[in-house]
mmCIF file of all heavy atoms in Angstrom:
data_model
loop_
_atom_site.group_PDB
_atom_site.id
_atom_site.type_symbol
_atom_site.label_atom_id
_atom_site.label_comp_id
_atom_site.label_asym_id
_atom_site.label_seq_id
_atom_site.Cartn_x
_atom_site.Cartn_y
_atom_site.Cartn_z
ATOM 1 N N SER A 12 -6.690 -17.515 -4.909
ATOM 2 C CA SER A 12 -7.256 -16.587 -3.910
ATOM 3 C C SER A 12 -6.821 -17.004 -2.522
ATOM 4 O O SER A 12 -6.398 -18.138 -2.310
ATOM 5 C CB SER A 12 -8.779 -16.570 -3.999
ATOM 6 O OG SER A 12 -9.287 -17.831 -3.649
ATOM 7 N N ILE A 13 -6.877 -16.040 -1.599
ATOM 8 C CA ILE A 13 -6.632 -16.355 -0.185
ATOM 9 C C ILE A 13 -7.819 -15.827 0.603
ATOM 10 O O ILE A 13 -8.564 -14.962 0.133
ATOM 11 C CB ILE A 13 -5.335 -15.762 0.324
ATOM 12 C CG1 ILE A 13 -5.367 -14.238 0.288
ATOM 13 C CG2 ILE A 13 -4.128 -16.297 -0.371
ATOM 14 C CD1 ILE A 13 -4.266 -13.581 1.091
ATOM 15 N N GLN A 14 -7.979 -16.355 1.801
ATOM 16 C CA GLN A 14 -8.999 -15.878 2.698
ATOM 17 C C GLN A 14 -8.322 -15.357 3.945
ATOM 18 O O GLN A 14 -7.373 -15.930 4.438
ATOM 19 C CB GLN A 14 -9.972 -17.014 3.037
ATOM 20 C CG GLN A 14 -10.767 -17.487 1.834
ATOM 21 C CD GLN A 14 -11.699 -18.606 2.176
ATOM 22 O OE1 GLN A 14 -11.621 -19.198 3.253
ATOM 23 N NE2 GLN A 14 -12.563 -18.920 1.249
ATOM 24 N N ILE A 15 -8.831 -14.246 4.460
ATOM 25 C CA ILE A 15 -8.320 -13.696 5.710
ATOM 26 C C ILE A 15 -9.457 -13.630 6.704
ATOM 27 O O ILE A 15 -10.582 -13.254 6.350
ATOM 28 C CB ILE A 15 -7.738 -12.290 5.470
ATOM 29 C CG1 ILE A 15 -6.469 -12.390 4.608
ATOM 30 C CG2 ILE A 15 -7.407 -11.602 6.781
ATOM 31 C CD1 ILE A 15 -5.822 -11.088 4.303
ATOM 32 N N GLY A 16 -9.159 -14.014 7.916
ATOM 33 C CA GLY A 16 -10.173 -13.993 8.928
ATOM 34 C C GLY A 16 -9.599 -13.855 10.295
ATOM 35 O O GLY A 16 -8.410 -13.609 10.485
ATOM 36 N N ILE A 17 -10.426 -14.037 11.272
ATOM 37 C CA ILE A 17 -10.047 -13.972 12.686
ATOM 38 C C ILE A 17 -10.398 -15.318 13.295
ATOM 39 O O ILE A 17 -11.569 -15.722 13.231
ATOM 40 C CB ILE A 17 -10.782 -12.840 13.401
ATOM 41 C CG1 ILE A 17 -10.431 -11.522 12.738
ATOM 42 C CG2 ILE A 17 -10.450 -12.833 14.892
ATOM 43 C CD1 ILE A 17 -11.274 -10.363 13.197
ATOM 44 N N GLY A 18 -9.424 -16.003 13.852
ATOM 45 C CA GLY A 18 -9.665 -17.336 14.391
ATOM 46 C C GLY A 18 -10.137 -18.239 13.277
ATOM 47 O O GLY A 18 -9.514 -18.349 12.206
ATOM 48 N N ASP A 19 -11.246 -18.912 13.470
ATOM 49 C CA ASP A 19 -11.798 -19.825 12.479
ATOM 50 C C ASP A 19 -12.790 -19.133 11.531
ATOM 51 O O ASP A 19 -13.383 -19.778 10.688
ATOM 52 C CB ASP A 19 -12.516 -20.996 13.165
ATOM 53 C CG ASP A 19 -11.526 -21.901 13.903
ATOM 54 O OD1 ASP A 19 -10.344 -21.976 13.443
ATOM 55 O OD2 ASP A 19 -11.904 -22.490 14.898
ATOM 56 N N LEU A 20 -12.967 -17.811 11.686
ATOM 57 C CA LEU A 20 -13.943 -17.087 10.867
ATOM 58 C C LEU A 20 -13.206 -16.518 9.661
ATOM 59 O O LEU A 20 -12.356 -15.681 9.786
ATOM 60 C CB LEU A 20 -14.595 -15.974 11.647
ATOM 61 C CG LEU A 20 -15.384 -16.340 12.870
ATOM 62 C CD1 LEU A 20 -15.824 -15.082 13.602
ATOM 63 C CD2 LEU A 20 -16.590 -17.184 12.485
ATOM 64 N N ASN A 21 -13.556 -16.963 8.463
ATOM 65 C CA ASN A 21 -13.036 -16.373 7.227
ATOM 66 C C ASN A 21 -13.931 -15.234 6.847
ATOM 67 O O ASN A 21 -15.099 -15.406 6.553
ATOM 68 C CB ASN A 21 -13.001 -17.396 6.088
ATOM 69 C CG ASN A 21 -11.884 -18.412 6.311
ATOM 70 O OD1 ASN A 21 -10.802 -18.036 6.749
ATOM 71 N ND2 ASN A 21 -12.151 -19.662 6.009
ATOM 72 N N LEU A 22 -13.377 -13.999 6.893
ATOM 73 C CA LEU A 22 -14.174 -12.819 6.686
ATOM 74 C C LEU A 22 -14.065 -12.261 5.261
ATOM 75 O O LEU A 22 -15.026 -11.723 4.760
ATOM 76 C CB LEU A 22 -13.745 -11.712 7.654
ATOM 77 C CG LEU A 22 -13.828 -12.043 9.154
ATOM 78 C CD1 LEU A 22 -13.247 -10.930 9.982
ATOM 79 C CD2 LEU A 22 -15.251 -12.362 9.540
ATOM 80 N N TYR A 23 -12.894 -12.395 4.658
ATOM 81 C CA TYR A 23 -12.645 -11.803 3.350
ATOM 82 C C TYR A 23 -11.933 -12.788 2.458
ATOM 83 O O TYR A 23 -11.177 -13.619 2.903
ATOM 84 C CB TYR A 23 -11.782 -10.545 3.455
ATOM 85 C CG TYR A 23 -12.239 -9.543 4.452
ATOM 86 C CD1 TYR A 23 -11.599 -9.420 5.713
ATOM 87 C CD2 TYR A 23 -13.324 -8.726 4.193
ATOM 88 C CE1 TYR A 23 -12.041 -8.504 6.639
ATOM 89 C CE2 TYR A 23 -13.779 -7.813 5.149
ATOM 90 C CZ TYR A 23 -13.138 -7.710 6.335
ATOM 91 O OH TYR A 23 -13.561 -6.801 7.264
ATOM 92 N N GLU A 24 -12.196 -12.675 1.174
ATOM 93 C CA GLU A 24 -11.463 -13.452 0.183
ATOM 94 C C GLU A 24 -10.916 -12.504 -0.872
ATOM 95 O O GLU A 24 -11.612 -11.620 -1.327
ATOM 96 C CB GLU A 24 -12.375 -14.488 -0.459
ATOM 97 C CG GLU A 24 -11.621 -15.386 -1.462
ATOM 98 C CD GLU A 24 -12.479 -16.539 -1.932
ATOM 99 O OE1 GLU A 24 -13.557 -16.247 -2.491
ATOM 100 O OE2 GLU A 24 -12.084 -17.688 -1.745
ATOM 101 N N PHE A 25 -9.638 -12.694 -1.234
ATOM 102 C CA PHE A 25 -8.957 -11.842 -2.187
ATOM 103 C C PHE A 25 -8.442 -12.670 -3.334
ATOM 104 O O PHE A 25 -7.889 -13.713 -3.147
ATOM 105 C CB PHE A 25 -7.763 -11.128 -1.520
ATOM 106 C CG PHE A 25 -8.138 -10.385 -0.291
ATOM 107 C CD1 PHE A 25 -8.014 -10.962 0.931
ATOM 108 C CD2 PHE A 25 -8.635 -9.096 -0.399
ATOM 109 C CE1 PHE A 25 -8.362 -10.275 2.092
ATOM 110 C CE2 PHE A 25 -9.005 -8.379 0.744
ATOM 111 C CZ PHE A 25 -8.870 -8.993 1.979
ATOM 112 N N SER A 26 -8.635 -12.135 -4.526
ATOM 113 C CA SER A 26 -7.973 -12.729 -5.680
ATOM 114 C C SER A 26 -7.392 -11.541 -6.443
ATOM 115 O O SER A 26 -7.556 -10.385 -6.049
ATOM 116 C CB SER A 26 -8.967 -13.490 -6.558
ATOM 117 O OG SER A 26 -9.910 -12.609 -7.152
#
Side-chain angles (χ1 to χ4, degrees):
S12 65
I13 63 166
Q14 295 178 348
I15 293 181
I17 301 170
D19 293 331
L20 300 174
N21 287 320
L22 303 175
Y23 309 104
E24 183 171 57
F25 306 94
S26 68

